[in-house]
Amino acid sequence: MNSRLNTVWRTLLLLFCGIVALWLVAPSLVVIPLSFTDRPTFTFPPEGWSTQWYANFFSDPSWMAALQASIQVGVLVAIVATVCGTAAALALSRTRFFGQQGLRALLLAPMLVPVIVIAIGLYALFLRLNLLGTTFGFVVAHSVLALPFVIIPVMASLQGFDRRLEDAAAICGAGRWTAFRTVTLPLVAPGVLSGAVFAFATSFDEVVLSLFIQSPYLQTLPVRMYSSVTRDTDPTIAAAATLILALTTVVTVLASIYATRRRNVG
């Protein structure tokens, strides 16, 4: 009787989770058929099908430049945020010092503070430092937003890490860097990889902050999409949105598969 009741509750829970997931994902999935419409305006459901908007996207130099800029900035942000976030997570989880909780709150603040507030502050700072519209400025600004998404999964991985393994490596003659590179990093790699994926996705999807620090010579894909919406209703923007959705989904799925395999091997 209890097993049957548990099965029923489990089925209802899975059904509820499926409905919630569909409710959250459905608005994004609507973009996909819109990108294949044969009309020059948004009509749902599409009356005809065509790939002309994808051809328009890949043949337009401004769209391709925006896509290249987003990928370049996203990769650099993933590297910078992952390195800095992993180091911060190690410091917060391995040491105890005065003001530690305050520092932790400060590092995680970009998740709670409205992006528009951060954007205004960085705009004023970058304007003084002449960093507006530069790749370096984009990487620094996006890394600020991405840093908490690296710290949290890395710290979660470190919670279950057995530090006696590092002690064993030290006994065998390994230095701190060698022990970290050969023992600690491989074991917390799923958390580090998850943080890198979240950092890339955060940078690739960011539009509010990018609007403040853009220039006519450097625009990311979300900013280019926003500019397109304000000027016209060309379905090319639906094709761009579908490509963003596909890219982030593929990256996330591949990272999840890798993390799952590492966890199973471990």
Side-chain angles (χ1 to χ4, degrees):
M1 182 65 180
N2 290 334
S3 60
R4 182 179 302 178
L5 185 61
N6 291 335
T7 302
V8 172
W9 278 110
R10 188 180 298 110
T11 303
L12 291 175
L13 181 60
L14 290 175
L15 181 61
F16 176 76
C17 292
I19 294 174
V20 172
L22 181 61
W23 177 265
L24 295 175
V25 175
S28 300
L29 297 180
V30 170
V31 175
I32 299 176
L34 287 178
S35 67
F36 289 99
T37 183
D38 62 345
R39 299 296 180 89
T41 57
F42 292 112
T43 55
F44 186 83
E47 299 178 2
W49 303 96
S50 173
T51 59
Q52 60 178 315
W53 308 115
Y54 287 92
N56 186 42
F57 176 87
F58 287 107
S59 62
D60 191 329
S62 63
W63 283 108
M64 294 306 298
L67 176 62
Q68 181 181 356
S70 287
I71 294 176
Q72 179 183 4
V73 171
V75 171
L76 291 175
V77 168
I79 295 173
V80 173
T82 300
V83 172
C84 296
T86 301
L90 283 169
L92 291 173
S93 61
R94 298 293 179 83
T95 59
R96 295 291 181 268
F97 53 89
F98 177 76
Q100 180 179 8
Q101 296 302 321
L103 180 59
R104 184 199 300 265
L106 181 63
L107 291 173
L108 301 181
M111 294 183 63
L112 305 176
V113 178
V115 179
I116 186 68
V117 176
I118 300 175
I120 293 173
L122 287 177
Y123 173 79
L125 179 62
F126 284 9
L127 185 63
R128 180 177 295 273
L129 299 176
N130 294 322
L131 292 178
L132 294 178
T134 64
T135 301
F136 179 77
F138 268 91
V139 172
V140 172
H142 287 190
S143 295
V144 171
L145 298 181
L147 196 62
F149 296 96
V150 178
I151 294 176
I152 291 176
V154 174
M155 288 190 66
S157 298
L158 289 171
Q159 292 296 326
F161 178 75
D162 189 355
R163 296 195 61 180
R164 292 177 297 180
L165 297 174
E166 291 181 336
D167 296 336
I171 292 174
C172 294
R176 289 189 175 182
W177 168 246
T178 302
F180 172 78
R181 180 173 53 85
T182 59
V183 178
T184 307
L185 186 59
L187 292 176
V188 300
V192 175
L193 180 61
S194 298
V197 171
F198 283 127
F200 176 83
T202 299
S203 172
F204 199 81
D205 295 338
E206 177 54 40
V207 59
V208 177
L209 180 57
S210 299
L211 281 171
F212 276 80
I213 62 175
Q214 65 161 324
S215 74
Y217 309 102
L218 180 59
Q219 288 185 334
T220 58
L221 186 56
V223 172
R224 178 68 178 83
M225 293 170 63
Y226 180 83
S227 301
S228 178
V229 169
T230 57
R231 290 197 308 266
D232 48 51
T233 56
D234 193 323
T236 303
I237 189 175
T242 302
L243 291 173
I244 290 179
L245 181 63
L247 180 60
T248 54
T249 300
V250 168
V251 171
T252 303
V253 169
L254 291 178
S256 300
I257 293 174
Y258 172 80
T260 302
R261 289 183 176 179
R262 287 296 302 266
R263 193 178 299 112
N264 292 336
V265 171

